[in-house]
Amino acid sequence: MQDPAAPQEFEVAIGSAMAAPEAFGASFEATPPVHEFELGEGLEGDPAIAFRRTLGMFATGVTVLTTRAAEQVHGMTANAFMSVSMSPPLVLVSIDRRARMGAMMHEGTRFGVSVLEAKQKGLSDRFAGRISLGVPEPTFAVVHETPLVEGALAHLVARVMRSYWGGDHSLFLGQVEFARYGEGRPLLFHGGRYERLIEDTRVFSLLPSELLDPILALGSERSYHEGESIMRTGEPGDELMLVLEGAVRVRRPGREVTLGVGELIGEIEVLYPDGGRVADVTAEGPVRCLVVSRESLVVALEADPRAAIALVEVLAARFRETV
Ligand code: FAD
């Protein structure tokens, strides 16, 4: 039974996947001729595989596209998602002509885009039709009558404005009606594999106290009043700070944390000050910090090269996690 309240665009027969692109008529021009392409040096064998692998070098996030057909929610994993325009707000998705999802997308159809969080690999597999053991049933929030995967890092609801011929895929241009994002890390896809960002910024905090204490001993105290800015994005990161009293709020796009007594700020920047600060740091109340300048740090490391080696080991171990 069709929901009488459901907008007309949801009243779509699901079984006609191959008919999807043709349903758009004027948006699909005549099929251009097939073009051969040249493979670069060292790339031999099946050109289709080489092409796929080449495209796989483009690292992306992972989304689940969702829509409703009558009472049913349908989801599909897609990484062919891109932002197109800010004004009007437009996004584009590319859907395989064989996918059931494509058959549900018509001009005017609303679709959801859920940007998956690093821990949602299982959901990505699930919505790609792959076996994903032990993954809990997905749950959906409904916004603008459109299902969105709960727990995702960001959500968009868009309405299909135009669609275009895209070879064995169809391109759907959607006007965004709703957008939100939360905090967390994205799931990434690169070279046919899931990847993740390493954002552990601890370096000095992982040193044993016998190596860290002599560095901190060269610091001097500084106080801040409530709401005072301690560090600003883009400033040179030439100081390492230890919170001695109070708490500080660290804000960067998509991420906010509070650091308290005993925690260090600016651990990476002080080793690479030209990169600039990557976050705004503000005092949450009265704050007292121990400040070690980069010059003092260099003096401490020259005095005890064991500390310098220990820092390199910490960074090498972090690098190891990504390769
Ligand atoms: P189906 O294959 O029928 O469904 C997909 C899966 O989702 C099935 O397992 C189904 O059980 C499950 N599912 C659907 N709705 C629900 C629900 N309500 N509750 C629970 N489970 C549900 N293909 C593209 O066309 N474009 C892309 O950009 C793209 N990117 C991809 C990126 C990655 C990382 C991966 C792994 C795959 C990608 N794919 C892409 C492939 C695509 O996800 C699969 O081909 C998918 O199976 C096509 O979905 P479908 O619409 O045909 O539906």
Side-chain angles (χ1 to χ4, degrees):
M1 264 283 280
Q2 204 98 69
D3 175 5
Q8 204 188 348
E9 59 265 26
F10 293 139
E11 294 170 14
V12 170
I14 297 176
S16 55
M18 292 307 287
E22 287 70 26
F24 297 93
S27 299
F28 289 87
E29 288 101 34
T31 308
V34 174
H35 291 287
E36 296 289 324
F37 62 93
E38 188 189 344
L39 287 181
E41 209 179 316
L43 291 185
E44 280 158 12
D46 186 341
I49 293 175
F51 181 46
R52 184 180 275 269
R53 288 191 179 149
T54 305
L55 296 178
M57 292 301 104
F58 183 58
T60 66
V62 181
T63 72
V64 172
L65 307 179
T66 39
T67 196
R68 253 177 52 187
E71 290 305 296
Q72 269 181 290
V73 171
H74 181 73
M76 180 195 113
T77 301
N79 67 339
F81 162 80
M82 65 180 277
S83 57
V84 173
S85 158
M86 294 302 286
S87 179
L90 298 173
V91 295
L92 187 86
V93 293
S94 173
I95 299 182
D96 193 314
R97 293 174 65 157
R98 293 163 303 179
R100 286 187 347 127
M101 186 78 195
M104 298 177 196
M105 301 276 274
H106 295 257
E107 283 185 14
T109 305
R110 286 198 181 105
F111 63 97
V113 180
S114 300
V115 178
L116 295 187
E117 207 265 340
K119 296 195 188 86
Q120 292 181 310
K121 267 190 235 177
L123 277 184
S124 171
D125 283 341
R126 166 82 186 246
F127 284 107
R130 297 175 174 182
I131 295 164
S132 50
L133 297 172
V135 178
E137 275 298 305
T139 52
F140 303 94
V142 176
V143 175
H144 286 226
E145 300 168 67
T146 309
L148 294 166
V149 177
E150 283 188 322
L153 185 54
H155 289 123
L156 297 152
V157 173
R159 188 185 277 269
V160 176
M161 301 299 288
R162 303 270 324 242
S163 55
Y164 304 92
W165 181 86
D168 53 18
H169 281 54
S170 305
L171 308 179
F172 297 92
L173 184 70
Q175 174 143 356
V176 175
E177 295 183 346
F178 170 83
R180 68 154 284 279
Y181 71 91
E183 289 174 20
R185 292 171 197 179
L187 178 62
L188 302 180
F189 196 65
H190 176 243
R193 289 169 29 161
Y194 295 115
E195 302 275 1
R196 68 196 169 95
L197 294 173
I198 303 281
E199 282 194 35
D200 188 348
T201 52
R202 290 172 306 158
V203 183
F204 290 88
S205 350
L206 296 178
L207 294 187
S209 57
E210 62 175 285
L211 297 179
L212 182 59
D213 291 349
I215 296 173
L216 297 177
L218 298 182
S220 55
E221 283 194 24
R222 197 182 288 161
S223 297
Y224 298 89
H225 55 76
E226 179 168 2
E228 191 174 351
S229 170
I230 298 176
M231 294 174 182
R232 284 202 179 85
T233 304
E235 283 176 353
D238 49 8
E239 288 175 340
L240 174 71
M241 290 193 191
L242 172 72
V243 182
L244 295 175
E245 196 180 309
V248 302
R249 191 81 184 142
V250 181
R251 287 191 185 87
R252 54 192 289 187
R255 196 153 169 237
E256 268 193 51
V257 284
T258 297
L259 300 180
V261 173
E263 294 190 274
L264 287 165
I265 324 170
E267 297 189 61
I268 293 186
E269 291 103 313
V270 77
L271 292 171
Y272 181 56
D274 291 350
R277 300 259 181 234
V278 294
D280 293 319
V281 182
T282 319
E284 286 213 313
V287 167
R288 205 159 51 85
C289 287
L290 187 69
V291 182
V292 182
S293 69
R294 186 174 153 85
E295 289 79 36
S296 302
L297 174 67
V298 172
V299 169
L301 295 181
E302 280 173 355
D304 187 352
R306 287 180 312 149
I309 297 289
L311 287 172
V312 173
E313 282 173 0
V314 168
L315 293 171
R318 184 74 37 77
F319 185 62
R320 192 80 183 92
E321 288 177 49
T322 65
V323 292

